[in-house]
mmCIF file of all heavy atoms in Angstrom:
data_model
loop_
_atom_site.group_PDB
_atom_site.id
_atom_site.type_symbol
_atom_site.label_atom_id
_atom_site.label_comp_id
_atom_site.label_asym_id
_atom_site.label_seq_id
_atom_site.Cartn_x
_atom_site.Cartn_y
_atom_site.Cartn_z
ATOM 1 N N GLN A 149 120.427 70.108 98.043
ATOM 2 C CA GLN A 149 120.397 70.193 99.491
ATOM 3 C C GLN A 149 120.060 71.532 99.930
ATOM 4 O O GLN A 149 120.506 71.969 100.985
ATOM 5 C CB GLN A 149 121.709 69.848 100.098
ATOM 6 C CG GLN A 149 122.029 68.413 100.099
ATOM 7 C CD GLN A 149 122.610 67.936 98.921
ATOM 8 O OE1 GLN A 149 122.399 68.406 97.879
ATOM 9 N NE2 GLN A 149 123.290 66.878 99.050
ATOM 10 N N LEU A 150 119.426 72.321 99.206
ATOM 11 C CA LEU A 150 119.197 73.645 99.623
ATOM 12 C C LEU A 150 117.812 73.707 100.285
ATOM 13 O O LEU A 150 117.306 72.752 100.698
ATOM 14 C CB LEU A 150 119.380 74.592 98.484
ATOM 15 C CG LEU A 150 120.747 74.370 97.990
ATOM 16 C CD1 LEU A 150 121.037 75.103 96.729
ATOM 17 C CD2 LEU A 150 121.727 74.702 99.018
ATOM 18 N N THR A 151 117.248 74.812 100.360
ATOM 19 C CA THR A 151 116.160 74.905 101.262
ATOM 20 C C THR A 151 114.958 75.553 100.722
ATOM 21 O O THR A 151 115.116 76.609 100.195
ATOM 22 C CB THR A 151 116.619 75.733 102.484
ATOM 23 O OG1 THR A 151 116.884 76.943 101.954
ATOM 24 C CG2 THR A 151 117.771 75.161 103.118
ATOM 25 N N MET A 152 113.931 74.969 100.866
ATOM 26 C CA MET A 152 112.710 75.547 100.414
ATOM 27 C C MET A 152 111.823 75.571 101.624
ATOM 28 O O MET A 152 112.357 75.658 102.653
ATOM 29 C CB MET A 152 112.153 74.677 99.289
ATOM 30 C CG MET A 152 113.156 74.551 98.297
ATOM 31 S SD MET A 152 114.064 73.320 97.724
ATOM 32 C CE MET A 152 115.467 72.980 97.777
ATOM 33 N N LEU A 390 124.791 65.606 100.040
ATOM 34 C CA LEU A 390 123.951 64.428 100.316
ATOM 35 C C LEU A 390 123.371 64.015 98.974
ATOM 36 O O LEU A 390 122.472 64.663 98.399
ATOM 37 C CB LEU A 390 122.822 64.841 101.274
ATOM 38 C CG LEU A 390 123.242 65.484 102.576
ATOM 39 C CD1 LEU A 390 122.035 65.877 103.396
ATOM 40 C CD2 LEU A 390 124.141 64.564 103.377
ATOM 41 N N ARG A 393 119.565 60.978 98.834
ATOM 42 C CA ARG A 393 118.246 61.225 99.411
ATOM 43 C C ARG A 393 117.324 61.918 98.436
ATOM 44 O O ARG A 393 117.796 62.825 97.682
ATOM 45 C CB ARG A 393 118.369 62.005 100.698
ATOM 46 C CG ARG A 393 119.346 61.416 101.670
ATOM 47 C CD ARG A 393 118.874 60.092 102.256
ATOM 48 N NE ARG A 393 119.776 59.644 103.361
ATOM 49 C CZ ARG A 393 119.552 58.597 104.123
ATOM 50 N NH1 ARG A 393 118.491 57.829 103.848
ATOM 51 N NH2 ARG A 393 120.350 58.344 105.098
ATOM 52 N N LYS A 394 116.068 61.659 98.489
ATOM 53 C CA LYS A 394 115.066 62.369 97.621
ATOM 54 C C LYS A 394 114.088 63.106 98.482
ATOM 55 O O LYS A 394 113.661 62.648 99.522
ATOM 56 C CB LYS A 394 114.313 61.337 96.726
ATOM 57 C CG LYS A 394 115.221 60.679 95.727
ATOM 58 C CD LYS A 394 114.417 59.776 94.785
ATOM 59 C CE LYS A 394 115.331 59.174 93.716
ATOM 60 N NZ LYS A 394 114.582 58.292 92.788
ATOM 61 N N THR A 395 113.747 64.339 97.998
ATOM 62 C CA THR A 395 112.855 65.178 98.827
ATOM 63 C C THR A 395 111.412 64.693 98.823
ATOM 64 O O THR A 395 110.929 64.114 97.864
ATOM 65 C CB THR A 395 112.961 66.631 98.309
ATOM 66 O OG1 THR A 395 112.159 67.461 99.176
ATOM 67 C CG2 THR A 395 112.440 66.770 96.903
ATOM 68 N N CYS A 396 110.725 65.016 99.920
ATOM 69 C CA CYS A 396 109.275 64.879 100.006
ATOM 70 C C CYS A 396 108.612 66.225 100.051
ATOM 71 O O CYS A 396 107.388 66.292 100.288
ATOM 72 C CB CYS A 396 108.920 64.066 101.282
ATOM 73 S SG CYS A 396 109.459 62.352 101.295
ATOM 74 N N PHE A 397 109.381 67.241 99.880
ATOM 75 C CA PHE A 397 108.864 68.619 100.036
ATOM 76 C C PHE A 397 107.806 68.952 99.017
ATOM 77 O O PHE A 397 107.990 68.701 97.810
ATOM 78 C CB PHE A 397 110.014 69.615 100.010
ATOM 79 C CG PHE A 397 109.661 71.008 100.445
ATOM 80 C CD1 PHE A 397 109.051 71.157 101.697
ATOM 81 C CD2 PHE A 397 109.949 72.108 99.665
ATOM 82 C CE1 PHE A 397 108.742 72.450 102.119
ATOM 83 C CE2 PHE A 397 109.630 73.385 100.130
ATOM 84 C CZ PHE A 397 109.023 73.516 101.357
ATOM 85 N N PRO A 405 116.558 68.767 90.438
ATOM 86 C CA PRO A 405 116.425 67.342 90.746
ATOM 87 C C PRO A 405 115.818 67.100 92.102
ATOM 88 O O PRO A 405 115.837 67.990 93.009
ATOM 89 C CB PRO A 405 117.910 66.881 90.684
ATOM 90 C CG PRO A 405 118.716 68.053 90.976
ATOM 91 C CD PRO A 405 117.964 69.216 90.320
ATOM 92 N N ASP A 406 115.214 65.901 92.273
ATOM 93 C CA ASP A 406 114.571 65.574 93.520
ATOM 94 C C ASP A 406 115.522 65.305 94.672
ATOM 95 O O ASP A 406 115.106 64.939 95.780
ATOM 96 C CB ASP A 406 113.552 64.423 93.342
ATOM 97 C CG ASP A 406 114.205 63.170 92.797
ATOM 98 O OD1 ASP A 406 115.429 63.143 92.693
ATOM 99 O OD2 ASP A 406 113.461 62.215 92.501
ATOM 100 N N THR A 407 116.797 65.421 94.379
ATOM 101 C CA THR A 407 117.775 65.261 95.461
ATOM 102 C C THR A 407 118.089 66.583 96.153
ATOM 103 O O THR A 407 118.830 66.635 97.103
ATOM 104 C CB THR A 407 119.120 64.674 94.930
ATOM 105 O OG1 THR A 407 119.546 65.453 93.785
ATOM 106 C CG2 THR A 407 118.939 63.228 94.458
ATOM 107 N N TYR A 408 117.437 67.634 95.684
ATOM 108 C CA TYR A 408 117.553 68.944 96.399
ATOM 109 C C TYR A 408 116.536 68.952 97.496
ATOM 110 O O TYR A 408 115.321 69.014 97.262
ATOM 111 C CB TYR A 408 117.319 70.119 95.415
ATOM 112 C CG TYR A 408 118.480 70.404 94.516
ATOM 113 C CD1 TYR A 408 119.582 69.549 94.446
ATOM 114 C CD2 TYR A 408 118.499 71.565 93.730
ATOM 115 C CE1 TYR A 408 120.648 69.824 93.616
ATOM 116 C CE2 TYR A 408 119.593 71.856 92.876
ATOM 117 C CZ TYR A 408 120.650 70.995 92.837
ATOM 118 O OH TYR A 408 121.745 71.231 92.009
ATOM 119 N N LEU A 409 117.022 68.904 98.729
ATOM 120 C CA LEU A 409 116.154 68.769 99.870
ATOM 121 C C LEU A 409 115.755 70.099 100.500
ATOM 122 O O LEU A 409 116.428 71.089 100.357
ATOM 123 C CB LEU A 409 116.918 67.931 100.920
ATOM 124 C CG LEU A 409 117.504 66.591 100.476
ATOM 125 C CD1 LEU A 409 118.355 65.994 101.577
ATOM 126 C CD2 LEU A 409 116.415 65.652 99.998
ATOM 127 N N SER A 410 114.617 70.052 101.262
ATOM 128 C CA SER A 410 114.302 71.190 102.060
ATOM 129 C C SER A 410 115.297 71.263 103.235
ATOM 130 O O SER A 410 116.027 70.291 103.506
ATOM 131 C CB SER A 410 112.870 71.055 102.613
ATOM 132 O OG SER A 410 112.816 69.961 103.526
ATOM 133 N N THR A 411 115.324 72.406 103.935
ATOM 134 C CA THR A 411 116.331 72.524 105.001
ATOM 135 C C THR A 411 116.216 71.473 106.038
ATOM 136 O O THR A 411 117.208 70.830 106.460
ATOM 137 C CB THR A 411 116.162 73.911 105.635
ATOM 138 O OG1 THR A 411 116.264 74.942 104.639
ATOM 139 C CG2 THR A 411 117.267 74.160 106.689
ATOM 140 N N ILE A 412 115.010 71.231 106.549
ATOM 141 C CA ILE A 412 114.852 70.274 107.632
ATOM 142 C C ILE A 412 115.146 68.852 107.179
ATOM 143 O O ILE A 412 115.685 68.037 107.927
ATOM 144 C CB ILE A 412 113.443 70.402 108.246
ATOM 145 C CG1 ILE A 412 113.409 69.634 109.614
ATOM 146 C CG2 ILE A 412 112.382 69.885 107.306
ATOM 147 C CD1 ILE A 412 114.354 70.204 110.648
ATOM 148 N N GLU A 413 114.843 68.550 105.940
ATOM 149 C CA GLU A 413 115.227 67.250 105.381
ATOM 150 C C GLU A 413 116.722 67.049 105.317
ATOM 151 O O GLU A 413 117.251 66.006 105.673
ATOM 152 C CB GLU A 413 114.633 67.057 103.991
ATOM 153 C CG GLU A 413 113.126 66.857 103.897
ATOM 154 C CD GLU A 413 112.676 66.750 102.466
ATOM 155 O OE1 GLU A 413 112.844 67.717 101.678
ATOM 156 O OE2 GLU A 413 112.102 65.660 102.101
ATOM 157 N N ALA A 414 117.402 68.095 104.809
ATOM 158 C CA ALA A 414 118.841 68.041 104.729
ATOM 159 C C ALA A 414 119.504 67.795 106.108
ATOM 160 O O ALA A 414 120.427 67.021 106.263
ATOM 161 C CB ALA A 414 119.406 69.292 104.080
ATOM 162 N N ILE A 415 118.972 68.537 107.125
ATOM 163 C CA ILE A 415 119.530 68.380 108.472
ATOM 164 C C ILE A 415 119.293 66.925 108.955
ATOM 165 O O ILE A 415 120.184 66.313 109.508
ATOM 166 C CB ILE A 415 118.854 69.412 109.383
ATOM 167 C CG1 ILE A 415 119.312 70.826 109.030
ATOM 168 C CG2 ILE A 415 119.184 69.103 110.859
ATOM 169 C CD1 ILE A 415 118.580 71.911 109.795
ATOM 170 N N TYR A 417 118.618 64.098 107.280
ATOM 171 C CA TYR A 417 119.339 63.016 106.584
ATOM 172 C C TYR A 417 120.852 63.076 106.835
ATOM 173 O O TYR A 417 121.515 62.032 106.895
ATOM 174 C CB TYR A 417 118.996 63.076 105.085
ATOM 175 C CG TYR A 417 117.643 62.556 104.753
ATOM 176 C CD1 TYR A 417 116.746 63.359 104.012
ATOM 177 C CD2 TYR A 417 117.230 61.316 105.134
ATOM 178 C CE1 TYR A 417 115.473 62.905 103.745
ATOM 179 C CE2 TYR A 417 115.955 60.835 104.824
ATOM 180 C CZ TYR A 417 115.084 61.646 104.125
ATOM 181 O OH TYR A 417 113.835 61.199 103.844
#
Side-chain angles (χ1 to χ4, degrees):
Q149 282 84 334
L150 301 175
T151 60
M152 304 112 252
L390 307 176
R393 309 292 190 174
K394 293 185 178 181
T395 185
C396 293
F397 193 52
D406 58 7
T407 52
Y408 282 10
L409 309 173
S410 66
T411 305
I412 195 62
E413 287 178 299
I415 292 173
Y417 286 125

